[in-house]
Structures are given as C-alpha cells and as structure tokens.
Amino acid sequence: MRAEMDTIKIHDKTFRPYISYGELSAAIDRTAEKINADYKGTKEPVIFICVLNGAMMFMSEMMKRLNFECELVSIKMTSYSGTETTGDVKVPMGLTGSVKGRRVIVFEDIVDSGYTMVALKKLLEEQGASDVRICTMLLKPAALRTDIKLDYVAMEIPNAFIVGFGLDYDELGRNYKDIYVIEQ
Ligand code: IMP
Ligand code: MG
C-alpha cells in the first residue's frame, strides 16, 4: 500500500520513487571531489556549460561544491518527445557566452543515446573551446548509441524513463526533489 501512496501522476503516466535526494546528493559529492582534484591550481577560470532545461538543478548542486574559479554559460538543447529520444538534436537557444580558447566542462542531467553530447561537443569545438570535458549526473549505459567520452558520471541507471530533479516528461515533473521511474 505504501508504495502506491508514494506514486505520482504526470500527464497520463504514473511514476514511483526511484532515487532519493540523499542518494543523488552523495553521488554529486563524490563527483565534485574528483573534479576539484582534477582542476586544482587551474589558473584561468573554467567555463561551465549548463545544458538547459534538464541540467539546471544538477548545475546548481555542482556549483555549490566546486571550489575553483568558474564562469557560467548556458545552452538549450532538445531531443526528447514524450518518453523517447527522437535522435534529432535541436538547439532552440545557442550558447549565452563565448568559449573561444577556453577550457569548458559540460554539465548534463542524463546521457541516453549520447546524440545530444556528441552534437554539443562538436559545437563547442567549432566555437574554439580549447578543452571540452563532460560531466553527467546520470547515464543509461544500455541506451548508448555513440562512443562519446564521458569524463565524469555521478550515477549509472538501467534503461528506464525517469523524471524529477530537473528531468521532465513533456515539460512536467522537473520540480520534484527526488527521481521517479515510470510504472510499466
Ligand atoms: P540523448 O541525446 O539521447 O543522450 O538524450 C539526452 C537528453 O534526453 C537529456 O538531456 C534529457 O533531456 C533527455 N532524457 C534522456 N533520458 C531521459 C529520461 O529518462 N527522462 C527525461 N529526459 C530524458
Ligand atoms: Mg537535457
């Protein structure tokens, strides 16, 4: 009964609790420690790329933990419709700042097929970034269809559709603090 009471409804679908904020937060702590160690003593401010809209919560959690000089640039990318990737990556809003000659770290909510990260890495290299690393909160290894290099992965999950902590189902569900998985 209890599990049923904890489920949430978004549009036409039901989701159940999956990853708590506590678990996410611990995984984010560990990832931030690694990045802080790798960028220790960095002379020039590093540019953080926030991939809107999904990554905004993860980006803010990471910014609270990363302790070297940084600037923030955003970009909006979309590839999902409903609960599936379309494979067609769109950029409804381009980079909000220049990355020319700069070291950047991309912050993404989740990597599924990997097409979004392949497109973004290419775009950043074309715009002259001197070094591009990718940090994703979540990865669905079974869904990967590209050989994109992911430098930092906070958590791996099975191939299931999830919402919460920035992730949406047709724009709803981003404001849940925990992550929920779809009920089949
Ligand atoms: P990819 O291009 O297939 O790797 O898809 C990555 C993008 O799809 C992410 O930035 C998310 O916005 C979205 N996405 C992938 N999996 C999920 C999910 O389970 N729930 C919500 N959005 C997802
Ligand atoms: Mg996204």
Side-chain angles (χ1 to χ4, degrees):
M1 281 320 282
R2 171 105 187 111
E4 217 165 278
M5 274 163 53
D6 289 341
T7 59
I8 56 170
K9 189 133 202 262
I10 299 175
H11 295 300
D12 56 332
K13 302 204 188 305
T14 306
F15 295 80
R16 64 181 156 80
Y18 194 50
I19 307 170
S20 70
Y21 175 68
E23 278 176 82
L24 273 177
S25 187
I28 293 171
D29 283 344
R30 292 191 290 273
T31 308
E33 268 173 40
K34 280 186 206 147
I35 300 180
N36 278 332
D38 288 356
Y39 285 80
K40 195 171 181 203
T42 295
K43 300 255 160 17
E44 204 199 354
V46 176
I47 296 186
F48 294 168
I49 309 281
C50 178
V51 187
L52 298 174
N53 290 325
M56 86 317 184
M57 279 212 203
F58 177 52
M59 182 80 263
S60 86
E61 293 285 338
M62 290 301 291
M63 284 189 90
K64 285 184 266 183
R65 292 164 172 83
L66 297 175
N67 57 21
F68 49 94
E69 276 195 318
C70 61
E71 294 174 26
L72 181 63
V73 166
S74 297
I75 185 167
K76 184 167 183 182
M77 305 188 82
T78 58
S79 63
Y80 251 64
S81 173
T83 63
E84 272 164 47
T85 181
T86 60
D88 178 26
V89 181
K90 293 202 172 66
V91 185
M93 185 190 89
L95 291 170
T96 58
S98 169
V99 296
K100 201 170 168 54
R102 306 289 298 275
R103 297 177 77 189
V104 309
I105 309 175
V106 171
F107 289 88
E108 173 65 313
D109 53 357
I110 186 164
V111 174
D112 184 297
S113 66
Y115 292 134
T116 303
M117 286 302 97
V118 167
L120 181 52
K121 196 163 187 182
K122 181 165 170 269
L123 186 149
L124 290 165
E125 283 165 0
E126 282 167 3
Q127 303 274 315
S130 63
D131 180 59
V132 180
R133 293 197 196 174
I134 299 175
C135 173
T136 185
M137 178 169 72
L138 300 166
L139 167 67
K140 296 179 190 171
L144 264 182
R145 273 179 255 159
T146 57
D147 64 356
I148 184 78
K149 180 174 179 251
L150 301 170
D151 301 276
Y152 308 98
V153 177
M155 269 180 122
E156 292 191 355
I157 61 165
N159 198 1
F161 187 74
I162 57 168
V163 292
F165 209 79
L167 291 116
D168 70 304
Y169 167 38
D170 278 346
E171 294 307 325
L172 294 183
R174 295 191 197 276
N175 56 327
Y176 286 98
K177 193 174 173 185
D178 305 298
I179 287 184
Y180 292 75
V181 66
I182 198 162
E183 289 258 68
Q184 293 302 351

